[in-house]
Amino acid sequence: MNDLQPLENGIIGSQHAADALAAKKEARILLVSDSHGRKIIEFILERFGEHVDAFVFTGDGAGDFIECIDKAEADENFMRVLPPVTLAVQGNNDAGAYRSFALGIVRIPKSALFTAAGKKIFVVHGHLQDVYSDSQTLSAEAELLGADIAVFGHTHCPEETRGKVYLVNAGSCAFPRRRSPMSFAIITIAQGGLDTVFYKIDVSRGLEFTPYIPEQTRG
């Protein structure tokens, strides 16, 4: 069973799990953002959680993230689909801390840095880096920290930018903008490189998750 304990770098999980993720030869990261109170994250986890190594939430819905942690502590079946490493950062509509029934007061950092399969990943919401304008500030900040990958949200639009730092925005899983669908993403880190698969969420026929290529891609 997962050991869900808050670590200093913002990860909720055991130090052993965080170290194991860093040392993996290949890792898959589930990236979700901007749920804004809509209860959809748990359905994504139920479908994909067992097939990834980490779950990262990039803000605006941190309370929804905490609810998933609490559900895992109370429900053994849900605990099995929750990845051993989880992480959320604070969005512009999030508080800096939330009360968890399982963990007490959980601090939600404004940014986080962790390692997966030898790659450093910088996590932010993006509002402090003005990602609506461009990704230059985010890329420069990530590069200064030695990050290989930067993940963010805030714009509610999915995108992928390849440069010195690999940038990925999963879009919004609840309230998309600019004609993009509700979406999330899975990043695969392997010896052959980095790859991201985006999934659109279709609620018109129940709940379907379908891979697709976003139209809004910078770079």
Side-chain angles (χ1 to χ4, degrees):
M1 182 175 289
N2 292 340
D3 181 10
L4 301 179
Q5 296 298 324
L7 304 180
E8 289 185 0
N9 61 353
I11 285 176
I12 296 179
S14 70
Q15 188 60 57
H16 174 75
D19 293 342
L21 177 64
K24 278 180 172 288
K25 292 184 178 179
E26 181 174 322
R28 303 180 78 219
I29 313 297
L30 174 61
L31 183 62
V32 184
S33 191
D34 293 278
S35 56
H36 287 276
R38 189 165 184 177
K39 310 302 181 185
I40 198 167
I41 301 176
E42 64 182 72
F43 299 109
I44 297 172
L45 286 168
E46 285 171 351
R47 172 63 177 83
F48 293 92
E50 288 185 288
H51 308 292
V52 300
D53 301 288
F55 166 45
V56 174
F57 183 77
T58 57
D60 275 1
D64 306 328
F65 170 87
I66 293 297
E67 286 184 9
C68 288
I69 298 297
D70 283 343
K71 181 173 180 177
E73 286 285 1
D75 183 341
E76 290 184 4
N77 291 326
F78 194 73
M79 178 68 86
R80 281 194 285 268
V81 303
L82 189 72
V85 173
T86 65
L87 172 67
V89 293
Q90 185 183 149
N92 55 296
N93 290 296
D94 291 327
Y98 287 82
R99 180 176 293 279
S100 161
F101 294 111
L103 304 178
I105 300 299
V106 176
R107 184 183 68 87
I108 307 296
K110 292 181 179 179
S111 65
L113 189 68
F114 74 102
T115 303
K119 299 292 186 182
K120 287 187 178 180
I121 303 175
F122 182 47
V123 186
V124 295
H125 183 58
H127 59 298
L128 299 177
Q129 291 77 22
D130 195 22
V131 293
Y132 266 123
S133 298
D134 57 55
S135 58
Q136 292 180 2
T137 299
L138 172 59
S139 183
E141 189 173 338
E143 189 175 356
L144 188 63
L145 291 169
D148 304 287
I149 303 167
V151 296
F152 64 106
H154 189 52
T155 66
H156 292 220
C157 298
E159 65 174 86
E160 173 187 28
T161 303
R162 294 183 180 269
K164 290 184 178 180
V165 178
Y166 181 57
L167 308 179
V168 180
N169 185 334
S172 171
C173 67
F175 299 101
R177 295 173 182 159
R178 299 177 188 171
R179 294 181 295 180
S180 61
M182 296 161 58
S183 64
F184 61 96
I186 295 178
I187 304 171
T188 299
I189 305 168
Q191 292 181 339
L194 303 170
D195 182 59
T196 298
V197 176
F198 293 86
Y199 291 83
K200 61 182 177 180
I201 303 168
D202 186 355
V203 296
S204 64
R205 291 178 294 178
L207 191 62
E208 294 184 356
F209 307 116
T210 307
Y212 86 110
I213 298 174
E215 293 181 3
Q216 291 88 4
T217 300
R218 285 190 265 198

